[in-house]
mmCIF file of all heavy atoms in Angstrom:
data_model
loop_
_atom_site.group_PDB
_atom_site.id
_atom_site.type_symbol
_atom_site.label_atom_id
_atom_site.label_comp_id
_atom_site.label_asym_id
_atom_site.label_seq_id
_atom_site.Cartn_x
_atom_site.Cartn_y
_atom_site.Cartn_z
ATOM 1 N N PRO A 106 -9.177 -4.421 -20.801
ATOM 2 C CA PRO A 106 -8.611 -5.224 -21.893
ATOM 3 C C PRO A 106 -8.378 -4.420 -23.178
ATOM 4 O O PRO A 106 -7.530 -4.791 -23.998
ATOM 5 C CB PRO A 106 -9.655 -6.316 -22.119
ATOM 6 C CG PRO A 106 -10.877 -5.913 -21.367
ATOM 7 C CD PRO A 106 -10.483 -4.879 -20.358
ATOM 8 N N GLU A 107 -9.107 -3.320 -23.360
ATOM 9 C CA GLU A 107 -8.937 -2.518 -24.593
ATOM 10 C C GLU A 107 -7.774 -1.534 -24.461
ATOM 11 O O GLU A 107 -6.869 -1.514 -25.282
ATOM 12 C CB GLU A 107 -10.209 -1.720 -24.867
ATOM 13 C CG GLU A 107 -11.465 -2.567 -24.864
ATOM 14 C CD GLU A 107 -12.124 -2.588 -26.209
ATOM 15 O OE1 GLU A 107 -12.511 -1.504 -26.662
ATOM 16 O OE2 GLU A 107 -12.243 -3.697 -26.777
ATOM 17 N N THR A 108 -7.829 -0.736 -23.370
ATOM 18 C CA THR A 108 -6.803 0.311 -23.240
ATOM 19 C C THR A 108 -5.546 -0.206 -22.525
ATOM 20 O O THR A 108 -4.506 0.442 -22.559
ATOM 21 C CB THR A 108 -7.340 1.493 -22.414
ATOM 22 O OG1 THR A 108 -7.600 1.016 -21.082
ATOM 23 C CG2 THR A 108 -8.604 2.080 -22.997
ATOM 24 N N LEU A 109 -5.661 -1.370 -21.882
ATOM 25 C CA LEU A 109 -4.604 -1.960 -21.056
ATOM 26 C C LEU A 109 -4.247 -1.087 -19.848
ATOM 27 O O LEU A 109 -3.249 -1.311 -19.175
ATOM 28 C CB LEU A 109 -3.339 -2.258 -21.878
ATOM 29 C CG LEU A 109 -3.507 -3.226 -23.047
ATOM 30 C CD1 LEU A 109 -2.187 -3.481 -23.751
ATOM 31 C CD2 LEU A 109 -4.096 -4.564 -22.571
ATOM 32 N N LYS A 110 -5.085 -0.085 -19.586
ATOM 33 C CA LYS A 110 -4.830 0.810 -18.445
ATOM 34 C C LYS A 110 -5.533 0.277 -17.192
ATOM 35 O O LYS A 110 -6.613 -0.306 -17.273
ATOM 36 C CB LYS A 110 -5.379 2.204 -18.754
ATOM 37 C CG LYS A 110 -4.665 2.911 -19.886
ATOM 38 C CD LYS A 110 -4.346 4.342 -19.474
ATOM 39 C CE LYS A 110 -3.231 4.944 -20.279
ATOM 40 N NZ LYS A 110 -3.608 5.376 -21.594
ATOM 41 N N PRO A 111 -4.926 0.500 -15.993
ATOM 42 C CA PRO A 111 -5.611 0.073 -14.774
ATOM 43 C C PRO A 111 -6.835 0.932 -14.476
ATOM 44 O O PRO A 111 -6.784 2.147 -14.631
ATOM 45 C CB PRO A 111 -4.548 0.246 -13.679
ATOM 46 C CG PRO A 111 -3.465 1.051 -14.266
ATOM 47 C CD PRO A 111 -3.633 1.123 -15.739
ATOM 48 N N VAL A 112 -7.914 0.262 -14.099
ATOM 49 C CA VAL A 112 -9.171 0.952 -13.793
ATOM 50 C C VAL A 112 -9.578 0.586 -12.375
ATOM 51 O O VAL A 112 -9.495 -0.580 -11.984
ATOM 52 C CB VAL A 112 -10.292 0.510 -14.778
ATOM 53 C CG1 VAL A 112 -11.605 1.227 -14.467
ATOM 54 C CG2 VAL A 112 -9.870 0.746 -16.209
ATOM 55 N N GLU A 113 -10.005 1.584 -11.616
ATOM 56 C CA GLU A 113 -10.381 1.357 -10.215
ATOM 57 C C GLU A 113 -11.724 0.617 -10.145
ATOM 58 O O GLU A 113 -12.672 1.047 -10.777
ATOM 59 C CB GLU A 113 -10.510 2.750 -9.604
ATOM 60 C CG GLU A 113 -10.649 2.813 -8.137
ATOM 61 C CD GLU A 113 -10.847 4.270 -7.737
ATOM 62 O OE1 GLU A 113 -9.955 5.100 -7.991
ATOM 63 O OE2 GLU A 113 -11.934 4.566 -7.216
ATOM 64 N N TYR A 114 -11.788 -0.508 -9.420
ATOM 65 C CA TYR A 114 -13.083 -1.163 -9.227
ATOM 66 C C TYR A 114 -13.502 -1.166 -7.779
ATOM 67 O O TYR A 114 -14.645 -1.466 -7.440
ATOM 68 C CB TYR A 114 -13.074 -2.608 -9.777
ATOM 69 C CG TYR A 114 -12.220 -3.576 -8.999
ATOM 70 C CD1 TYR A 114 -12.690 -4.223 -7.868
ATOM 71 C CD2 TYR A 114 -10.917 -3.849 -9.417
ATOM 72 C CE1 TYR A 114 -11.899 -5.106 -7.148
ATOM 73 C CE2 TYR A 114 -10.124 -4.736 -8.701
ATOM 74 C CZ TYR A 114 -10.610 -5.348 -7.577
ATOM 75 O OH TYR A 114 -9.825 -6.223 -6.854
ATOM 76 N N TYR A 115 -12.577 -0.867 -6.870
ATOM 77 C CA TYR A 115 -12.930 -0.857 -5.446
ATOM 78 C C TYR A 115 -12.024 0.111 -4.715
ATOM 79 O O TYR A 115 -10.817 0.137 -4.959
ATOM 80 C CB TYR A 115 -12.744 -2.263 -4.840
ATOM 81 C CG TYR A 115 -13.137 -2.321 -3.387
ATOM 82 C CD1 TYR A 115 -14.480 -2.392 -3.021
ATOM 83 C CD2 TYR A 115 -12.187 -2.267 -2.378
ATOM 84 C CE1 TYR A 115 -14.847 -2.412 -1.679
ATOM 85 C CE2 TYR A 115 -12.552 -2.297 -1.038
ATOM 86 C CZ TYR A 115 -13.873 -2.370 -0.702
ATOM 87 O OH TYR A 115 -14.253 -2.384 0.616
ATOM 88 N N ILE A 116 -12.621 0.908 -3.849
ATOM 89 C CA ILE A 116 -11.787 1.757 -3.003
ATOM 90 C C ILE A 116 -12.497 2.006 -1.682
ATOM 91 O O ILE A 116 -13.696 2.299 -1.653
ATOM 92 C CB ILE A 116 -11.388 3.076 -3.713
ATOM 93 C CG1 ILE A 116 -10.366 3.842 -2.866
ATOM 94 C CG2 ILE A 116 -12.582 3.953 -4.032
ATOM 95 C CD1 ILE A 116 -9.351 4.591 -3.685
ATOM 96 N N LYS A 117 -11.789 1.787 -0.612
ATOM 97 C CA LYS A 117 -12.323 2.059 0.722
ATOM 98 C C LYS A 117 -11.151 2.572 1.561
ATOM 99 O O LYS A 117 -10.164 1.868 1.753
ATOM 100 C CB LYS A 117 -12.892 0.766 1.320
ATOM 101 C CG LYS A 117 -13.604 0.970 2.625
ATOM 102 C CD LYS A 117 -14.987 1.534 2.410
ATOM 103 C CE LYS A 117 -15.658 1.816 3.748
ATOM 104 N NZ LYS A 117 -16.932 2.525 3.579
#
Side-chain angles (χ1 to χ4, degrees):
E107 308 244 299
T108 64
L109 300 182
K110 294 227 159 77
V112 180
E113 190 183 299
Y114 69 84
Y115 182 78
I116 188 145
K117 187 78 184 173

